[in-house]
Amino acid sequence: MVRILIADDQELMRDGLATILNLRPELEVAGVASNGQEAFEKAGQIHPDIVLMDIRMPVSNGVEGTKRITSAYPDIKVLMLTTFNDSELIFEALEEGASGYLLKDMPTDAIVQAIMTVQSGGMVLPKELTADIVREMRRNQSEDQSHEVPEILKELTEREMEVLNQLGLGLNNKEIAKELYISEGTVKNHVSNLISKLQLRDRTQAAIFAVRYNITTF
């Protein structure tokens, strides 16, 4: 059973989601919080498997809450609850260690599937939404904020670049293996190698890297 902590400042959203998720036999809502600070404190007390974290909250927002939780409790995964207008904050949260994001109005089954994906070590980056968000971010970037492709990319092999592109689309190892016609074990090795070469923390960081430097095309 996956233990969940829900952090949202809107009581109706928070309690409604808790009620719905508690009806699923594979999930248990172990606690709720109303801001990022409270989520961090509750995480330390109940040690959930996954925190469903709203981005915009008073006192301490979801980005700050995510940063504190992933720093103090690296085994606790964070999945962001967002609206489309949160594009900048979404990527900030991913950079702080979140394992993905969902729109609040997604169907319950999609939310449950996302939770199980993150629990199994995957990421949740909805392809169409991520493409829209990236386009919006690029429109908002001024000339002096544009990102030049790092020289370190030259250290990657052609296959590692292909895997990095797939990571930017939010694919898991099984999906990448199917796309590239290689084994999951081979994908895992490529992911480990490219993370090491690029000096990144994890596959989420690799996905952000791929998106930011236009390696991933949607």
Side-chain angles (χ1 to χ4, degrees):
M1 183 176 289
V2 183
R3 301 178 74 246
I4 309 293
L5 170 64
I6 299 174
D8 196 303
D9 63 310
Q10 296 181 343
E11 185 176 358
L12 186 62
M13 176 69 186
R14 185 176 67 233
D15 294 348
L17 186 57
T19 299
I20 292 171
L21 294 183
N22 265 330
L23 294 174
R24 307 299 285 249
E26 65 269 50
L27 305 177
E28 175 196 355
V29 177
V32 296
S34 59
N35 58 64
Q37 172 63 27
E38 189 178 352
F40 170 67
E41 294 169 358
K42 287 281 185 73
Q45 295 166 9
I46 65 179
H47 217 80
D49 298 303
I50 295 176
V51 179
L52 293 182
M53 182 86 76
D54 185 24
I55 281 194
R56 295 185 184 275
M57 295 183 287
V59 183
S60 175
N61 69 20
V63 175
E64 182 60 30
T66 297
K67 179 179 181 180
R68 298 189 68 178
I69 289 172
T70 55
S71 296
Y73 312 108
D75 55 325
I76 297 178
K77 299 177 174 67
V78 180
L79 183 57
M80 308 308 294
L81 294 173
T82 73
T83 66
F84 179 73
N85 294 329
D86 293 330
S87 57
E88 289 287 346
L89 290 176
I90 287 170
F91 272 79
E92 284 182 34
L94 292 172
E95 288 180 321
E96 296 298 350
S99 296
Y101 71 95
L102 293 171
L103 292 185
K104 288 184 176 184
D105 58 0
M106 281 185 169
T108 303
D109 285 346
I111 294 176
V112 173
Q113 181 58 53
I115 290 171
M116 301 313 293
T117 296
V118 170
Q119 177 65 9
S120 64
M123 295 163 40
V124 179
L125 298 175
K127 184 175 178 179
E128 295 80 6
L129 297 173
T130 300
D132 288 340
I133 288 169
V134 169
R135 281 192 286 269
E136 181 66 24
M137 288 181 67
R138 287 172 183 162
R139 276 198 296 269
N140 292 338
Q141 286 175 343
S142 61
E143 290 297 323
D144 60 350
Q145 290 177 315
S146 61
H147 300 287
E148 294 184 5
V149 178
E151 285 289 314
I152 199 170
L153 270 178
K154 294 179 180 178
E155 296 185 19
L156 299 188
T157 65
E158 183 178 350
R159 181 62 90 183
E160 287 167 352
M161 285 291 289
E162 291 175 341
V163 171
L164 182 59
N165 173 60
Q166 300 297 320
L167 284 176
L169 293 173
L171 272 60
N172 60 33
N173 286 357
K174 184 177 181 178
E175 291 167 335
I176 294 174
K178 184 178 180 181
E179 285 289 324
L180 300 181
Y181 302 100
I182 55 181
S183 71
E184 284 187 59
T186 300
V187 173
K188 185 177 181 180
N189 289 337
H190 284 316
V191 172
S192 296
N193 289 339
L194 68 87
I195 286 174
S196 176
K197 288 180 180 180
L198 297 178
Q199 300 175 9
L200 301 171
R201 185 176 61 213
D202 52 31
R203 65 187 295 131
T204 303
Q205 296 288 295
I208 297 169
F209 184 98
V211 170
R212 171 164 288 150
Y213 294 108
N214 298 331
I215 295 160
T216 293
T217 54
F218 295 92

